[in-house]
Every structure is written in structure tokens, then in C-alpha cells.
Amino acid sequence: MITKQTDTLFKHFEDYIKLSDALKTALTERLVFKTFKKGELVHDANKVCTKSYFIQKGLMRVYFLKDGKEISEYFPAEGEWSNSPRSFRTRQVDIYYIDAIEQVDAFCLGVTDLMYLFENFPEMERYARLSMGTVFGHFMERITSMRFTTAKEKYDHFISTYHDIYHRIPLGMIASYLGITQETLSRIRAEK
Amino acid sequence: MITKQTDTLFKHFEDYIKLSDALKTALTERLVFKTFKKGELVHDANKVCTKSYFIQKGLMRVYFLKDGKEISEYFPAEGEWSNSPRSFRTRQVDIYYIDAIEQVDAFCLGVTDLMYLFENFPEMERYARLSMGTVFGHFMERITSMRFTTAKEKYDHFISTYHDIYHRIPLGMIASYLGITQETLSRIRAEK
DNA sequence: ATAATTTTTTGATATAGGTCAAAAGCTGTG
DNA sequence: CACAGCTTTTGACCTATATCAAAAAATTAT
């Protein structure tokens, strides 16, 4: 019998809470291993997001459409959860699509299963609260950085927060994430 | 004996969880009523933020300094908690100051008391997770809006999200919140 | 009230970065 | 390999918004 490679995931949980064997089992039973090909759609904005993916390997992109153009919202990577946050939370459709920038290995957890875990393992509530706090902090920092006036400053901040993965993301996607044109970003990269 | 006016606060909690009498009592015992005069400093960036304020009446401003200028981060108002998020969470200093835009009535809850509540009332964990989700949603929407190209679009989005209180916030503070100059904002308001 | 201070508006000018267009560089497929 | 379809770069030009400066309006203090 093949054991699921849940090490990374458990390690992630243990950054926030102590994992009991019972919770480990309950999690393992509910996680479904899933892979996505490069470019494959992970979540469609026209549907309610009922699944959250914990990325083991690879890189995704959360984006939305504005005037027909794809605007990157953020890039979930190894060791992070990926979903359409509000849709997953409120069970309503939202504007975000998710696709795979690279081939992805992930564990899938459905809302219903997650709810079961919240009901039966109070420490899951704590995990969610604490891990959400971390993400919240990143978002705040990002808002702060988006007000840095020049495009160069925005790009520099992007590089520093995404230093491990920025070279794996196409230029055009980074430009829309920063709210600048790809021409401008290309010029910023050229000088220096 | 004077009863604390905890109605608004309890109502806020009950948007997310059912409040037991025991939790109500535990909360009431730990909340300290506090007022701030207009312009008074609520939190100093040079200190660790150990208190969270639930605003009953009035308006605050969370801001930081960039090149000696005050940049508004957001404006906590009636029915919301106000603190320096990362400092409160990590017990380290952070860049944010908080002051009162108007005279404020608030309930103060210290970190230690909050920790006690998390330890003894699992439903508090759930409350925190869920209410944080709401705030998280607002932040995401804001990041999306910050990429709207024109200053006018940013301002329109601000008006729609802060429609109840935008007229109570001085123009200069709104401008720095949006990342535009106050001259530009003044001109936007003038036309139309 | 009157003065003092702060906030907002108005004007003139400069520039970062947008738009449009086209060339160059990559990547994958039969 | 060669072609098709992307992605990135380069160039020319233009516009929204920043800057700087000063007047006007509003708020606060004496």
C-alpha cells in the first residue's frame, strides 16, 4: 500500500499547532492527491469554489479578467493553500480563476471535509486562525508596497517577497500583478 | 451599578458564533471601556501593540510614516476592531501608528485576556477565524481596486467601500490611503 | 470676533509610465 | 528542421498625475 506523501502538509500544520494522531488520520483520509498539467485550469470563476489545494510541487496563478485581460492576483506555491478565498468561504461565485503555471502536485481538501474537521477538531480552528494571520500580514505588506510610487519600487518589493519563485513566473503575469504594463516591466529589467 | 454597553459588541460576535452566557460574562469581565479625544494617539509604532479596541462610536486611522509623511493604511470605524495587526499577533513592533480621527468610545481587550479566551472558549477561535475571513475579503478587494489604473477609479472604489464614513475623513488622509496626491484628489472631487 | 494654523483648491509645468506598433526571441509540434 | 504561436523587447509618442507654488477656505485657538 502506498502512503500519501503528507509530510510537507503536516509540517506546515505543525508551524501552528500540535497535530494529534487522530487529526493526522482524519486529514489523511480526506485528502485526495491530484496533479495538474502546465496551463490547466484549476478553478473556474463561473463555479463556486469547493476545493482547496495544498501545493506540494509547482506553482499556480490566481487571476481575474479585466477588460478581457488576465490580471494576476497572486501566485500560490509549494507549501501554500490555493483556492478562491471568498468563493470558498461564502459558497458563492467570485471573479477569480486559478490555473497552473507549472505542472503541479497537490492535495485536495473539499469544503465539506474541512467543515467536518472544524467541527470535530477544535485545534483546526486555531490552525486556520493562525495561518490566516500569516497570510493577512503578507497582504497588508503588499498593500503598503502598492502605494510605493515608482514601478521600480513595486518590482523590487515583488522580487523580495517572491525571491524564491519570481524567475518561474512569466513577465506578463508579473506586470499585471504589479499593475504596470509589461513594456514598462521589460524596461525596468533591462536597465541595471 | 452601571452595566457596560456591550450590546454592539455582542451583536458583532453573534454575526459569527452563538454567544454562551459564560462567554458573555468572561468577555464583560475583561473588557475595559475607554475613550479617546480627537487627534489622540491610540497606538505608538515604537511600542508592541498589546491591546485591541472594539469601536463603539467614532473613527480611527491606522497609518505609517514614509519619508516623513503620514500614509493612511485604513480607517477602523464603529463595529470594528482596531489594532496594529502584525504587532498584536507577533508581539513585535511594527510600522503602524493609530490615532483617533474623531472622539472615540471603545472597548479595550488585552492580548493576554484574548489568549485566555482562546484557551477556554473554543468558539472564540471560530469567531476569530470567521471574522478574519471577512476582513481578509475586504483586503483582497482593495488590492484588486488598487490596480485600477486611473485615480478616479480608485476614488470611486473607496467611496463605495467606505460610503458610510468617507465624508468624515479629511481629504489628505484619503489621498494617502489611495496612493495619490491630495491635489489630484481635490481635482477629481471638483470635476463632476 | 480676530488671529493663527491647518486643510483644500487652483494654476503652471515636468515626467513616469501608458499606448500603439513592430521586431526579435522562444517553445513546442508535425 | 521549419513553421506557428507565444512572450519579450525596443521605439516613438502622448497623457494622467506628480511637483512646486501660492491663494482661498475652513478650523482651532486666543
PDB file of all heavy atoms in Angstrom, chain B residues 38 150-151 179-181 183-184 187, chain D residues 16-22 27-28:
ATOM      1  N   LYS B  38     -10.335  63.437  19.971  1.00  0.00           N
ATOM      2  CA  LYS B  38      -9.978  63.652  18.571  1.00  0.00           C
ATOM      3  C   LYS B  38      -8.494  63.967  18.461  1.00  0.00           C
ATOM      4  O   LYS B  38      -7.992  64.827  19.182  1.00  0.00           O
ATOM      5  CB  LYS B  38     -10.801  64.820  18.022  1.00  0.00           C
ATOM      6  CG  LYS B  38     -10.518  65.143  16.581  1.00  0.00           C
ATOM      7  CD  LYS B  38     -11.440  66.216  16.068  1.00  0.00           C
ATOM      8  CE  LYS B  38     -11.091  66.543  14.615  1.00  0.00           C
ATOM      9  NZ  LYS B  38     -12.059  67.450  14.010  1.00  0.00           N
ATOM     10  N   THR B 150      -6.790  54.433 -13.288  1.00  0.00           N
ATOM     11  CA  THR B 150      -6.943  55.856 -13.006  1.00  0.00           C
ATOM     12  C   THR B 150      -7.228  56.173 -11.533  1.00  0.00           C
ATOM     13  O   THR B 150      -7.783  55.366 -10.792  1.00  0.00           O
ATOM     14  CB  THR B 150      -8.096  56.457 -13.838  1.00  0.00           C
ATOM     15  OG1 THR B 150      -9.331  55.989 -13.307  1.00  0.00           O
ATOM     16  CG2 THR B 150      -7.993  56.058 -15.289  1.00  0.00           C
ATOM     17  N   ALA B 151      -6.824  57.375 -11.149  1.00  0.00           N
ATOM     18  CA  ALA B 151      -7.045  57.847  -9.783  1.00  0.00           C
ATOM     19  C   ALA B 151      -8.549  57.923  -9.498  1.00  0.00           C
ATOM     20  O   ALA B 151      -8.993  57.631  -8.388  1.00  0.00           O
ATOM     21  CB  ALA B 151      -6.401  59.213  -9.604  1.00  0.00           C
ATOM     22  N   GLY B 179      -2.958  56.367  -2.367  1.00  0.00           N
ATOM     23  CA  GLY B 179      -1.670  56.450  -3.039  1.00  0.00           C
ATOM     24  C   GLY B 179      -1.658  57.489  -4.142  1.00  0.00           C
ATOM     25  O   GLY B 179      -0.958  57.342  -5.142  1.00  0.00           O
ATOM     26  N   ILE B 180      -2.454  58.536  -3.992  1.00  0.00           N
ATOM     27  CA  ILE B 180      -2.422  59.645  -4.944  1.00  0.00           C
ATOM     28  C   ILE B 180      -2.178  60.933  -4.143  1.00  0.00           C
ATOM     29  O   ILE B 180      -2.266  60.923  -2.922  1.00  0.00           O
ATOM     30  CB  ILE B 180      -3.729  59.769  -5.756  1.00  0.00           C
ATOM     31  CG1 ILE B 180      -4.930  60.055  -4.840  1.00  0.00           C
ATOM     32  CG2 ILE B 180      -3.981  58.495  -6.545  1.00  0.00           C
ATOM     33  CD1 ILE B 180      -6.245  60.201  -5.577  1.00  0.00           C
ATOM     34  N   THR B 181      -1.865  62.025  -4.814  1.00  0.00           N
ATOM     35  CA  THR B 181      -1.626  63.275  -4.085  1.00  0.00           C
ATOM     36  C   THR B 181      -2.951  63.933  -3.740  1.00  0.00           C
ATOM     37  O   THR B 181      -3.969  63.682  -4.382  1.00  0.00           O
ATOM     38  CB  THR B 181      -0.804  64.265  -4.923  1.00  0.00           C
ATOM     39  OG1 THR B 181      -1.534  64.579  -6.103  1.00  0.00           O
ATOM     40  CG2 THR B 181       0.545  63.680  -5.279  1.00  0.00           C
ATOM     41  N   GLU B 183      -3.684  66.995  -4.177  1.00  0.00           N
ATOM     42  CA  GLU B 183      -4.053  67.898  -5.270  1.00  0.00           C
ATOM     43  C   GLU B 183      -4.899  67.143  -6.303  1.00  0.00           C
ATOM     44  O   GLU B 183      -5.947  67.624  -6.738  1.00  0.00           O
ATOM     45  CB  GLU B 183      -2.807  68.462  -5.958  1.00  0.00           C
ATOM     46  CG  GLU B 183      -2.006  69.440  -5.116  1.00  0.00           C
ATOM     47  CD  GLU B 183      -0.886  68.755  -4.364  1.00  0.00           C
ATOM     48  OE1 GLU B 183      -1.066  67.589  -3.963  1.00  0.00           O
ATOM     49  OE2 GLU B 183       0.181  69.376  -4.178  1.00  0.00           O
ATOM     50  N   THR B 184      -4.418  65.961  -6.675  1.00  0.00           N
ATOM     51  CA  THR B 184      -5.165  65.157  -7.650  1.00  0.00           C
ATOM     52  C   THR B 184      -6.552  64.816  -7.122  1.00  0.00           C
ATOM     53  O   THR B 184      -7.544  64.947  -7.837  1.00  0.00           O
ATOM     54  CB  THR B 184      -4.393  63.860  -7.978  1.00  0.00           C
ATOM     55  OG1 THR B 184      -3.138  64.215  -8.555  1.00  0.00           O
ATOM     56  CG2 THR B 184      -5.157  62.993  -8.951  1.00  0.00           C
ATOM     57  N   ARG B 187      -8.870  67.707  -7.319  1.00  0.00           N
ATOM     58  CA  ARG B 187      -9.325  67.949  -8.695  1.00  0.00           C
ATOM     59  C   ARG B 187     -10.379  66.929  -9.104  1.00  0.00           C
ATOM     60  O   ARG B 187     -11.368  67.269  -9.768  1.00  0.00           O
ATOM     61  CB  ARG B 187      -8.139  67.903  -9.661  1.00  0.00           C
ATOM     62  CG  ARG B 187      -7.317  69.189  -9.645  1.00  0.00           C
ATOM     63  CD  ARG B 187      -6.183  69.172 -10.668  1.00  0.00           C
ATOM     64  NE  ARG B 187      -4.882  69.109 -10.011  1.00  0.00           N
ATOM     65  CZ  ARG B 187      -4.104  70.180  -9.795  1.00  0.00           C
ATOM     66  NH1 ARG B 187      -4.484  71.372 -10.186  1.00  0.00           N
ATOM     67  NH2 ARG B 187      -2.936  70.041  -9.195  1.00  0.00           N
TER      68      ARG B 187
ATOM     69  P    DA D  16      -5.592  61.586 -19.972  1.00  0.00           P
ATOM     70  OP1  DA D  16      -6.710  60.941 -20.675  1.00  0.00           O
ATOM     71  OP2  DA D  16      -5.550  63.054 -19.808  1.00  0.00           O
ATOM     72  O5'  DA D  16      -5.456  60.916 -18.536  1.00  0.00           O
ATOM     73  C5'  DA D  16      -4.886  59.617 -18.400  1.00  0.00           C
ATOM     74  C4'  DA D  16      -3.993  59.576 -17.169  1.00  0.00           C
ATOM     75  O4'  DA D  16      -2.745  60.268 -17.430  1.00  0.00           O
ATOM     76  C3'  DA D  16      -4.581  60.228 -15.931  1.00  0.00           C
ATOM     77  O3'  DA D  16      -4.317  59.352 -14.843  1.00  0.00           O
ATOM     78  C2'  DA D  16      -3.848  61.575 -15.814  1.00  0.00           C
ATOM     79  C1'  DA D  16      -2.505  61.259 -16.451  1.00  0.00           C
ATOM     80  N9   DA D  16      -1.855  62.362 -17.153  1.00  0.00           N
ATOM     81  C8   DA D  16      -2.432  63.308 -17.969  1.00  0.00           C
ATOM     82  N7   DA D  16      -1.583  64.150 -18.505  1.00  0.00           N
ATOM     83  C5   DA D  16      -0.356  63.737 -18.011  1.00  0.00           C
ATOM     84  C6   DA D  16       0.954  64.217 -18.215  1.00  0.00           C
ATOM     85  N6   DA D  16       1.262  65.252 -18.998  1.00  0.00           N
ATOM     86  N1   DA D  16       1.955  63.573 -17.571  1.00  0.00           N
ATOM     87  C2   DA D  16       1.669  62.530 -16.795  1.00  0.00           C
ATOM     88  N3   DA D  16       0.479  61.979 -16.537  1.00  0.00           N
ATOM     89  C4   DA D  16      -0.499  62.639 -17.184  1.00  0.00           C
ATOM     90  P    DT D  17      -4.923  59.570 -13.417  1.00  0.00           P
ATOM     91  OP1  DT D  17      -5.176  58.226 -12.847  1.00  0.00           O
ATOM     92  OP2  DT D  17      -6.011  60.562 -13.496  1.00  0.00           O
ATOM     93  O5'  DT D  17      -3.695  60.199 -12.633  1.00  0.00           O
ATOM     94  C5'  DT D  17      -2.483  59.469 -12.608  1.00  0.00           C
ATOM     95  C4'  DT D  17      -1.365  60.355 -12.135  1.00  0.00           C
ATOM     96  O4'  DT D  17      -0.994  61.324 -13.131  1.00  0.00           O
ATOM     97  C3'  DT D  17      -1.679  61.164 -10.870  1.00  0.00           C
ATOM     98  O3'  DT D  17      -0.578  61.011 -10.015  1.00  0.00           O
ATOM     99  C2'  DT D  17      -1.780  62.595 -11.386  1.00  0.00           C
ATOM    100  C1'  DT D  17      -0.722  62.531 -12.475  1.00  0.00           C
ATOM    101  N1   DT D  17      -0.724  63.643 -13.468  1.00  0.00           N
ATOM    102  C2   DT D  17       0.493  64.165 -13.861  1.00  0.00           C
ATOM    103  O2   DT D  17       1.564  63.767 -13.437  1.00  0.00           O
ATOM    104  N3   DT D  17       0.411  65.191 -14.777  1.00  0.00           N
ATOM    105  C4   DT D  17      -0.737  65.727 -15.314  1.00  0.00           C
ATOM    106  O4   DT D  17      -0.680  66.641 -16.129  1.00  0.00           O
ATOM    107  C5   DT D  17      -1.974  65.127 -14.863  1.00  0.00           C
ATOM    108  C7   DT D  17      -3.283  65.623 -15.394  1.00  0.00           C
ATOM    109  C6   DT D  17      -1.907  64.133 -13.978  1.00  0.00           C
ATOM    110  P    DA D  18      -0.558  61.338  -8.456  1.00  0.00           P
ATOM    111  OP1  DA D  18      -0.639  60.045  -7.776  1.00  0.00           O
ATOM    112  OP2  DA D  18      -1.509  62.427  -8.140  1.00  0.00           O
ATOM    113  O5'  DA D  18       0.934  61.888  -8.249  1.00  0.00           O
ATOM    114  C5'  DA D  18       2.011  61.133  -8.816  1.00  0.00           C
ATOM    115  C4'  DA D  18       3.223  62.019  -8.984  1.00  0.00           C
ATOM    116  O4'  DA D  18       3.007  62.916 -10.102  1.00  0.00           O
ATOM    117  C3'  DA D  18       3.530  62.900  -7.777  1.00  0.00           C
ATOM    118  O3'  DA D  18       4.922  62.860  -7.483  1.00  0.00           O
ATOM    119  C2'  DA D  18       3.080  64.297  -8.203  1.00  0.00           C
ATOM    120  C1'  DA D  18       3.203  64.260  -9.717  1.00  0.00           C
ATOM    121  N9   DA D  18       2.164  65.052 -10.369  1.00  0.00           N
ATOM    122  C8   DA D  18       0.812  64.854 -10.333  1.00  0.00           C
ATOM    123  N7   DA D  18       0.121  65.732 -11.029  1.00  0.00           N
ATOM    124  C5   DA D  18       1.084  66.568 -11.554  1.00  0.00           C
ATOM    125  C6   DA D  18       1.005  67.702 -12.378  1.00  0.00           C
ATOM    126  N6   DA D  18      -0.147  68.204 -12.837  1.00  0.00           N
ATOM    127  N1   DA D  18       2.160  68.305 -12.723  1.00  0.00           N
ATOM    128  C2   DA D  18       3.311  67.801 -12.262  1.00  0.00           C
ATOM    129  N3   DA D  18       3.523  66.740 -11.487  1.00  0.00           N
ATOM    130  C4   DA D  18       2.353  66.171 -11.167  1.00  0.00           C
ATOM    131  P    DT D  19       5.446  63.511  -6.122  1.00  0.00           P
ATOM    132  OP1  DT D  19       6.332  62.513  -5.526  1.00  0.00           O
ATOM    133  OP2  DT D  19       4.296  64.057  -5.361  1.00  0.00           O
ATOM    134  O5'  DT D  19       6.324  64.753  -6.606  1.00  0.00           O
ATOM    135  C5'  DT D  19       5.996  65.363  -7.832  1.00  0.00           C
ATOM    136  C4'  DT D  19       6.838  66.594  -8.040  1.00  0.00           C
ATOM    137  O4'  DT D  19       6.054  67.425  -8.924  1.00  0.00           O
ATOM    138  C3'  DT D  19       7.090  67.433  -6.791  1.00  0.00           C
ATOM    139  O3'  DT D  19       8.319  68.143  -6.958  1.00  0.00           O
ATOM    140  C2'  DT D  19       5.885  68.351  -6.749  1.00  0.00           C
ATOM    141  C1'  DT D  19       5.587  68.572  -8.242  1.00  0.00           C
ATOM    142  N1   DT D  19       4.142  68.726  -8.569  1.00  0.00           N
ATOM    143  C2   DT D  19       3.786  69.685  -9.486  1.00  0.00           C
ATOM    144  O2   DT D  19       4.606  70.408 -10.047  1.00  0.00           O
ATOM    145  N3   DT D  19       2.442  69.784  -9.742  1.00  0.00           N
ATOM    146  C4   DT D  19       1.432  69.024  -9.176  1.00  0.00           C
ATOM    147  O4   DT D  19       0.264  69.207  -9.499  1.00  0.00           O
ATOM    148  C5   DT D  19       1.868  68.037  -8.217  1.00  0.00           C
ATOM    149  C7   DT D  19       0.851  67.173  -7.552  1.00  0.00           C
ATOM    150  C6   DT D  19       3.186  67.939  -7.962  1.00  0.00           C
ATOM    151  P    DC D  20       8.986  68.901  -5.713  1.00  0.00           P
ATOM    152  OP1  DC D  20      10.448  68.731  -5.875  1.00  0.00           O
ATOM    153  OP2  DC D  20       8.314  68.478  -4.477  1.00  0.00           O
ATOM    154  O5'  DC D  20       8.628  70.433  -5.983  1.00  0.00           O
ATOM    155  C5'  DC D  20       8.918  71.002  -7.259  1.00  0.00           C
ATOM    156  C4'  DC D  20       8.243  72.346  -7.380  1.00  0.00           C
ATOM    157  O4'  DC D  20       6.838  72.153  -7.683  1.00  0.00           O
ATOM    158  C3'  DC D  20       8.293  73.204  -6.108  1.00  0.00           C
ATOM    159  O3'  DC D  20       8.705  74.509  -6.489  1.00  0.00           O
ATOM    160  C2'  DC D  20       6.871  73.162  -5.581  1.00  0.00           C
ATOM    161  C1'  DC D  20       6.084  73.051  -6.896  1.00  0.00           C
ATOM    162  N1   DC D  20       4.706  72.511  -6.798  1.00  0.00           N
ATOM    163  C2   DC D  20       3.716  73.050  -7.621  1.00  0.00           C
ATOM    164  O2   DC D  20       4.007  73.960  -8.404  1.00  0.00           O
ATOM    165  N3   DC D  20       2.459  72.561  -7.540  1.00  0.00           N
ATOM    166  C4   DC D  20       2.176  71.577  -6.692  1.00  0.00           C
ATOM    167  N4   DC D  20       0.923  71.133  -6.671  1.00  0.00           N
ATOM    168  C5   DC D  20       3.173  71.005  -5.840  1.00  0.00           C
ATOM    169  C6   DC D  20       4.415  71.502  -5.925  1.00  0.00           C
ATOM    170  P    DA D  21       8.955  75.669  -5.418  1.00  0.00           P
ATOM    171  OP1  DA D  21      10.076  76.466  -5.950  1.00  0.00           O
ATOM    172  OP2  DA D  21       9.014  75.082  -4.064  1.00  0.00           O
ATOM    173  O5'  DA D  21       7.618  76.529  -5.543  1.00  0.00           O
ATOM    174  C5'  DA D  21       7.217  77.018  -6.821  1.00  0.00           C
ATOM    175  C4'  DA D  21       5.956  77.837  -6.657  1.00  0.00           C
ATOM    176  O4'  DA D  21       4.794  76.961  -6.675  1.00  0.00           O
ATOM    177  C3'  DA D  21       5.872  78.603  -5.331  1.00  0.00           C
ATOM    178  O3'  DA D  21       5.330  79.894  -5.568  1.00  0.00           O
ATOM    179  C2'  DA D  21       4.930  77.771  -4.503  1.00  0.00           C
ATOM    180  C1'  DA D  21       3.956  77.306  -5.597  1.00  0.00           C
ATOM    181  N9   DA D  21       3.133  76.162  -5.259  1.00  0.00           N
ATOM    182  C8   DA D  21       3.444  75.068  -4.484  1.00  0.00           C
ATOM    183  N7   DA D  21       2.463  74.208  -4.343  1.00  0.00           N
ATOM    184  C5   DA D  21       1.426  74.777  -5.065  1.00  0.00           C
ATOM    185  C6   DA D  21       0.107  74.378  -5.304  1.00  0.00           C
ATOM    186  N6   DA D  21      -0.417  73.244  -4.826  1.00  0.00           N
ATOM    187  N1   DA D  21      -0.670  75.182  -6.061  1.00  0.00           N
ATOM    188  C2   DA D  21      -0.151  76.314  -6.545  1.00  0.00           C
ATOM    189  N3   DA D  21       1.081  76.804  -6.392  1.00  0.00           N
ATOM    190  C4   DA D  21       1.818  75.979  -5.631  1.00  0.00           C
ATOM    191  P    DA D  22       5.428  81.095  -4.509  1.00  0.00           P
ATOM    192  OP1  DA D  22       6.522  81.963  -4.954  1.00  0.00           O
ATOM    193  OP2  DA D  22       5.444  80.529  -3.141  1.00  0.00           O
ATOM    194  O5'  DA D  22       4.057  81.876  -4.676  1.00  0.00           O
ATOM    195  C5'  DA D  22       3.218  81.633  -5.820  1.00  0.00           C
ATOM    196  C4'  DA D  22       1.788  81.524  -5.362  1.00  0.00           C
ATOM    197  O4'  DA D  22       1.473  80.142  -5.033  1.00  0.00           O
ATOM    198  C3'  DA D  22       1.442  82.338  -4.107  1.00  0.00           C
ATOM    199  O3'  DA D  22       0.227  83.000  -4.363  1.00  0.00           O
ATOM    200  C2'  DA D  22       1.235  81.268  -3.047  1.00  0.00           C
ATOM    201  C1'  DA D  22       0.608  80.185  -3.917  1.00  0.00           C
ATOM    202  N9   DA D  22       0.534  78.849  -3.332  1.00  0.00           N
ATOM    203  C8   DA D  22       1.470  78.178  -2.588  1.00  0.00           C
ATOM    204  N7   DA D  22       1.088  76.989  -2.181  1.00  0.00           N
ATOM    205  C5   DA D  22      -0.187  76.869  -2.698  1.00  0.00           C
ATOM    206  C6   DA D  22      -1.148  75.844  -2.623  1.00  0.00           C
ATOM    207  N6   DA D  22      -0.937  74.694  -1.962  1.00  0.00           N
ATOM    208  N1   DA D  22      -2.326  76.032  -3.247  1.00  0.00           N
ATOM    209  C2   DA D  22      -2.532  77.182  -3.898  1.00  0.00           C
ATOM    210  N3   DA D  22      -1.710  78.221  -4.051  1.00  0.00           N
ATOM    211  C4   DA D  22      -0.555  78.003  -3.412  1.00  0.00           C
ATOM    212  P    DT D  27     -14.754  73.115   8.336  1.00  0.00           P
ATOM    213  OP1  DT D  27     -15.116  71.745   7.923  1.00  0.00           O
ATOM    214  OP2  DT D  27     -15.784  74.139   8.644  1.00  0.00           O
ATOM    215  O5'  DT D  27     -13.783  73.017   9.605  1.00  0.00           O
ATOM    216  C5'  DT D  27     -12.454  72.569   9.404  1.00  0.00           C
ATOM    217  C4'  DT D  27     -11.539  73.039  10.506  1.00  0.00           C
ATOM    218  O4'  DT D  27     -11.107  74.403  10.276  1.00  0.00           O
ATOM    219  C3'  DT D  27     -12.113  73.013  11.928  1.00  0.00           C
ATOM    220  O3'  DT D  27     -11.300  72.123  12.669  1.00  0.00           O
ATOM    221  C2'  DT D  27     -12.017  74.463  12.415  1.00  0.00           C
ATOM    222  C1'  DT D  27     -10.911  75.023  11.517  1.00  0.00           C
ATOM    223  N1   DT D  27     -10.925  76.488  11.249  1.00  0.00           N
ATOM    224  C2   DT D  27      -9.809  77.238  11.576  1.00  0.00           C
ATOM    225  O2   DT D  27      -8.810  76.759  12.107  1.00  0.00           O
ATOM    226  N3   DT D  27      -9.882  78.579  11.251  1.00  0.00           N
ATOM    227  C4   DT D  27     -10.948  79.221  10.656  1.00  0.00           C
ATOM    228  O4   DT D  27     -10.884  80.430  10.413  1.00  0.00           O
ATOM    229  C5   DT D  27     -12.085  78.388  10.346  1.00  0.00           C
ATOM    230  C7   DT D  27     -13.286  79.007   9.691  1.00  0.00           C
ATOM    231  C6   DT D  27     -12.017  77.076  10.649  1.00  0.00           C
ATOM    232  P    DT D  28     -11.541  71.768  14.208  1.00  0.00           P
ATOM    233  OP1  DT D  28     -11.027  70.407  14.444  1.00  0.00           O
ATOM    234  OP2  DT D  28     -12.948  72.125  14.528  1.00  0.00           O
ATOM    235  O5'  DT D  28     -10.584  72.806  14.947  1.00  0.00           O
ATOM    236  C5'  DT D  28      -9.174  72.767  14.668  1.00  0.00           C
ATOM    237  C4'  DT D  28      -8.471  73.782  15.536  1.00  0.00           C
ATOM    238  O4'  DT D  28      -8.690  75.114  15.001  1.00  0.00           O
ATOM    239  C3'  DT D  28      -8.952  73.800  16.997  1.00  0.00           C
ATOM    240  O3'  DT D  28      -7.807  73.663  17.826  1.00  0.00           O
ATOM    241  C2'  DT D  28      -9.656  75.156  17.139  1.00  0.00           C
ATOM    242  C1'  DT D  28      -8.972  75.999  16.054  1.00  0.00           C
ATOM    243  N1   DT D  28      -9.788  77.092  15.453  1.00  0.00           N
ATOM    244  C2   DT D  28      -9.197  78.336  15.268  1.00  0.00           C
ATOM    245  O2   DT D  28      -8.051  78.595  15.597  1.00  0.00           O
ATOM    246  N3   DT D  28     -10.005  79.283  14.687  1.00  0.00           N
ATOM    247  C4   DT D  28     -11.309  79.123  14.274  1.00  0.00           C
ATOM    248  O4   DT D  28     -11.917  80.060  13.761  1.00  0.00           O
ATOM    249  C5   DT D  28     -11.868  77.807  14.495  1.00  0.00           C
ATOM    250  C7   DT D  28     -13.297  77.549  14.084  1.00  0.00           C
ATOM    251  C6   DT D  28     -11.092  76.865  15.070  1.00  0.00           C
TER     252       DT D  28
END
